Amino acid sequence: MSLSTSAPVAATEAVEVPAISIRGLRKTFGSVTAVDHVDIDIANGEFFSMLGPSGSGKTTVLRMIAGFEAPTAGTIRLDGTDVTRSAPFERDVHTVFQDYALFPHMSVLDNVGYGLRVRGLGKKERRERAQQALDKVRLGHLGDRRPSQLSGGQRQRVALARAIVLEPRVLLLDEPLGALDLKLREQMQVELKQLQRDLGITFVFVTHDQEEALTLSDRIAVFDAGRIQQLGSPREIYENPASAYVAGFVGTTNLLDAATSQRLLGVADEHAVRPERLRITDARDTAPAAPGDVRVDATVTETIYLGTGNRVHLRTADGTELVALEQSTGAAAGQEARGDRVTVRFARADVVRLTAAES
Amino acid sequence: MTLSRTTRRLLAGLTFGVLALIYLPLLVVVVNSVNPSQSMTWPPDGVTFEWWRRAAHSAGARDALVTSLQVAVIATALALVLGTLLALALQRYSFFGKHSVNLLVILPIALPGVVTGIALNNGFKGILGIDLSLWTIVVAHATFCIVTVFNNVQARLRRMGTSLEEASADLGAGVLTTFRLVTLPQLRSALLAGGMLAFALSFDEIIVTTFTAGNGATTLPIWILNNMFRPNQAPVVNVVAVVLIVFSIIPVWLAQRLSSDVEAAR
């Protein structure tokens, strides 16, 4: 066998083309840079979240993938095809909008069948497939209603059905659960995850809710000021935040500045440690730090009862503020009161060194 | 908010006074249309339908009515198309000179009719060398009819936002399909309101019309003005006025019912 015959076969097997591939994406509105230096590859069937506060550029990236905004620079490829300059209706991606954007003058069934209608499908087939999609989101009995007659959660499902009826390769979701109350949101999170698994399509999910991103996603891109601050699995993001910003935005964290780090760890870099990794013992605990452990004396400034445990706010002798989470164990936990002098211990392994934020 | 008894009475009296001032003269016109006295002596000493019969047979009044309807219908149709296109362009796209165009479109409704009239008269006759006709009136009326359609449609587009149109494009609809299936249905009541207002404006316009009407084209308001001070035509003018009152009430009533339907559906 010669090299020339085997090489192409190997090449097609080796490289899987990403569902979405973004390179050097940049968007400016006048003098404001909304998105800058964004590179993302999203694999087929992945649940990918873009997480960040409002104005961080995550929604703008989503709108550029959908085709509503044209990038100032950079390319967007869907399944390897460059769509950077294509119109929204030329792209095989569909969006679930934050405000749902259901057509108020059409019935629920006609809303769901809209995409099939503009593709020229006959009325009968259109209605059948729209009905199936409605059944999938458990709204099969409400096809005759107008969107205005539905609750928020139901509208959300209609918007989902309207997008999935077209069997897209990629579904873009722009804060789809933002308008729902907490109970409904938790329920819809489970349904979304199940739907994504059943359909096997790629989800790109925009949210400002870090818990939502952590629980739903395969991977997360954390956005701030138009740039990706960190991209990784939920575990990587939470356990190994790349910067003080990520550590602070995803979950709560104790930031140890360079001076404090020098004193406690002997390294003059910024570090972070999660509140649930701190252990509190009382002031009579005078044992020195075990190898690989850090110990510091502190005063309790506040104890907040959370039901599942306590959140204890502390201040060390040099003025560093710390937060510790204590799981409720039933018995003696949660005895610290304001003003108590205590000892805080944590493992060096639980401390994450933060790289200085660029720019 | 509760008002004292005196304030309530005062306000009720004021409302009654203003309404009376508006509607009593209209009532007099209605009564005079059946007043047997040609010089309209008051109070009338009987009821006659002679003027109504004469009006029905007045070729001048009938022709003027037809001309007015033609002008109003064509000018409104023109305004609906152009006004909607303008509103879409200015509300949905950005281009060089957008704000200037916006101002220039609205200006004709603020300009004194006399100025528009003279300018168009000069423009048609002097510059373009066109004879005045029904069509010159249509063009003249369209300049301000566009504004009412434009304003209504633009306000609706602004309130509607872009997300419905984006959703339509996202689901695979091209620009024209989106307009036909999503934008136009949302604009329907705005177009109706703007169109009716445009029709009403054109139908009773007199100043601009005076400058742009050709010999053969006499609209109803001009006919009324010409005949009002002729003693033997005055009663017929009253009849025409009553017909106009009826014609104006219907669209207003329809528009109000329609907008309340829209409110109820929301």
Side-chain angles (χ1 to χ4, degrees):
Chain A
M1 196 191 281
S2 72
L3 271 173
S4 60
T5 54
S6 64
V9 179
T12 50
E13 280 173 353
V15 186
E16 200 200 334
V17 180
I20 303 173
S21 178
I22 295 171
R23 285 290 172 277
L25 197 65
R26 179 180 157 79
K27 176 72 183 176
T28 55
F29 295 103
S31 60
V32 181
T33 304
V35 170
D36 207 2
H37 292 292
V38 167
D39 300 296
I40 310 175
D41 280 320
I42 301 172
N44 262 313
E46 190 173 5
F47 198 122
F48 188 89
S49 289
M50 299 197 280
L51 172 68
S54 55
S56 61
K58 57 195 193 307
T59 296
T60 308
V61 172
L62 193 84
R63 289 176 60 80
M64 286 193 276
I65 300 174
F68 302 135
E69 309 279 358
T72 310
T75 55
I76 298 170
R77 288 170 193 277
L78 299 176
D79 281 324
T81 314
D82 190 337
V83 297
T84 314
R85 301 285 148 196
S86 309
F89 51 84
E90 296 166 331
R91 305 180 184 204
D92 190 22
V93 296
H94 297 303
T95 310
V96 176
F97 292 84
Q98 184 169 17
D99 63 353
Y100 317 136
L102 300 179
F103 306 125
H105 57 289
M106 295 181 195
S107 71
V108 165
L109 197 68
D110 286 343
N111 259 285
V112 177
Y114 184 83
L116 302 170
R117 180 177 174 189
V118 301
R119 275 166 181 70
L121 256 74
K123 192 162 189 164
K124 190 166 168 290
E125 193 187 345
R126 197 159 88 205
R127 296 195 141 248
E128 272 171 21
R129 283 178 57 184
Q131 187 61 49
Q132 284 170 7
L134 271 181
D135 289 338
K136 229 175 255 172
V137 295
R138 299 189 285 114
L139 284 182
H141 56 296
L142 295 180
D144 295 333
R145 298 260 183 101
R146 289 285 166 134
S148 57
Q149 295 169 300
L150 302 182
S151 70
Q154 289 169 333
R155 283 181 212 184
Q156 172 61 68
R157 294 207 185 115
V158 175
L160 258 175
R162 186 173 69 173
I164 62 172
V165 74
L166 299 169
E167 297 166 359
R169 302 285 306 275
V170 174
L171 196 60
L172 309 174
L173 302 105
D174 183 9
E175 306 238 5
L177 311 180
L180 305 180
D181 60 54
L182 184 64
K183 264 276 183 293
L184 202 55
R185 198 156 70 220
E186 285 172 349
Q187 186 192 335
M188 282 303 293
Q189 285 174 2
V190 176
E191 282 184 31
L192 267 183
K193 187 78 186 169
Q194 279 170 352
L195 197 68
Q196 192 254 347
R197 207 174 294 133
D198 293 349
L199 299 173
I201 57 183
T202 312
F203 270 35
V204 182
F205 189 89
V206 161
T207 181
H208 63 264
D209 182 335
Q210 43 104 5
E211 199 182 319
E212 200 165 88
L214 286 177
T215 51
L216 291 176
S217 321
D218 295 319
R219 280 194 307 156
I220 301 172
V222 183
F223 277 76
D224 184 45
R227 293 177 182 229
I228 295 180
Q229 302 296 321
Q230 190 174 3
L231 201 161
S233 70
R235 183 175 290 277
E236 281 164 11
I237 301 259
Y238 189 81
E239 303 285 347
N240 239 325
S243 66
Y245 175 80
V246 175
F249 190 75
V250 182
T252 46
T253 200
N254 291 299
L255 281 182
L256 311 175
D257 60 25
T260 312
S261 297
Q262 175 69 51
R263 204 157 30 247
L264 294 180
L265 310 163
V267 187
D269 268 330
E270 245 192 331
H271 289 77
V273 59
R274 294 289 180 189
E276 64 270 22
R277 300 298 163 86
L278 302 190
R279 300 186 308 275
I280 299 176
T281 53
D282 63 34
R284 284 165 296 180
D285 172 19
T286 51
D293 251 15
V294 178
R295 109 159 238 185
V296 59
D297 291 326
T299 312
V300 176
T301 53
E302 199 69 73
T303 301
I304 290 158
Y305 179 64
L306 302 172
T308 55
N310 287 314
R311 191 166 75 225
V312 185
H313 293 252
L314 307 141
R315 187 180 297 125
T316 64
D318 63 359
T320 305
E321 304 275 351
L322 294 175
V323 181
L325 268 182
E326 289 185 313
Q327 286 297 311
S328 174
T329 50
Q335 296 302 314
E336 298 85 9
R338 265 180 67 172
D340 280 3
R341 301 193 53 83
V342 295
T343 300
V344 178
R345 293 169 184 273
F346 51 92
R348 290 193 78 110
D350 288 334
V351 180
V352 181
R353 191 172 141 225
L354 303 173
T355 50
E358 291 164 54
S359 78
Chain B
M1 191 173 60
T2 35
L3 298 171
S4 75
R5 206 183 167 83
T6 338
T7 318
R8 276 212 308 266
R9 286 199 175 154
L10 198 76
L11 289 174
L14 200 66
T15 310
F16 183 80
V18 169
L19 288 178
L21 207 68
I22 298 170
Y23 286 101
L24 274 182
L26 285 176
L27 193 68
V28 171
V29 172
V30 174
V31 172
N32 270 340
S33 77
V34 291
N35 190 338
S37 155
Q38 188 158 6
S39 52
M40 298 175 215
T41 46
W42 197 261
D45 51 5
V47 170
T48 178
F49 287 95
E50 169 64 14
W51 316 126
W52 283 81
R53 200 186 55 76
R54 289 245 299 263
H57 288 98
S58 160
R62 219 175 33 236
D63 288 349
L65 178 68
V66 171
T67 306
S68 270
L69 285 174
Q70 278 176 333
V71 169
V73 167
I74 302 171
T76 303
L78 215 62
L80 282 174
V81 175
L82 296 178
T84 306
L85 287 174
L86 268 170
L88 278 170
L90 290 173
Q91 196 61 43
R92 288 289 187 264
Y93 298 91
S94 54
F95 49 87
F96 177 75
K98 179 172 161 169
H99 295 287
S100 316
V101 171
N102 202 337
L103 182 72
L104 291 174
V105 167
I106 296 177
L107 211 55
I109 208 142
L111 278 179
V114 137
V115 175
T116 312
I118 293 171
L120 283 171
N121 184 289
N122 286 340
F124 286 136
K125 291 210 303 197
I127 300 167
L128 294 173
I130 300 173
D131 289 333
L132 298 181
S133 65
L134 182 103
W135 296 103
T136 49
I137 311 177
V138 167
V139 171
H141 284 196
T143 59
F144 53 81
C145 286
I146 286 175
V147 184
T148 67
V149 175
F150 170 78
N151 277 341
N152 272 283
V153 172
Q154 201 189 30
R156 176 64 51 86
L157 285 174
R158 194 176 297 144
R159 208 179 56 192
M160 212 175 118
T162 52
S163 70
L164 290 183
E165 286 157 16
E166 283 180 354
S168 172
D170 187 74
L171 293 165
V175 177
L176 287 178
T177 311
T178 295
F179 180 75
R180 184 167 57 89
L181 296 179
V182 174
T183 316
L184 196 58
Q186 295 297 313
L187 293 181
R188 200 149 40 195
S189 59
L191 286 173
L192 204 76
M196 274 192 294
L197 202 57
F199 186 93
L201 274 180
S202 163
F203 199 71
D204 75 350
E205 213 292 326
I206 191 153
I207 305 170
V208 176
T209 315
T210 315
F211 288 95
T212 51
N215 282 332
T218 305
T219 62
L220 206 53
I222 292 191
W223 183 87
I224 291 177
L225 196 68
N226 290 342
N227 288 277
M228 214 172 131
F229 303 107
R230 292 186 192 166
N232 59 333
Q233 284 284 31
V236 177
V237 168
N238 278 329
V239 172
V240 173
V242 173
V243 172
L244 284 185
I245 292 171
V246 174
F247 268 115
S248 345
I249 290 173
I250 293 171
V252 172
W253 175 73
L254 268 178
Q256 230 176 30
R257 250 191 60 154
L258 232 132
S259 54
S260 65
D261 279 359
V262 172
E263 291 307 317
R266 264 168 216 287

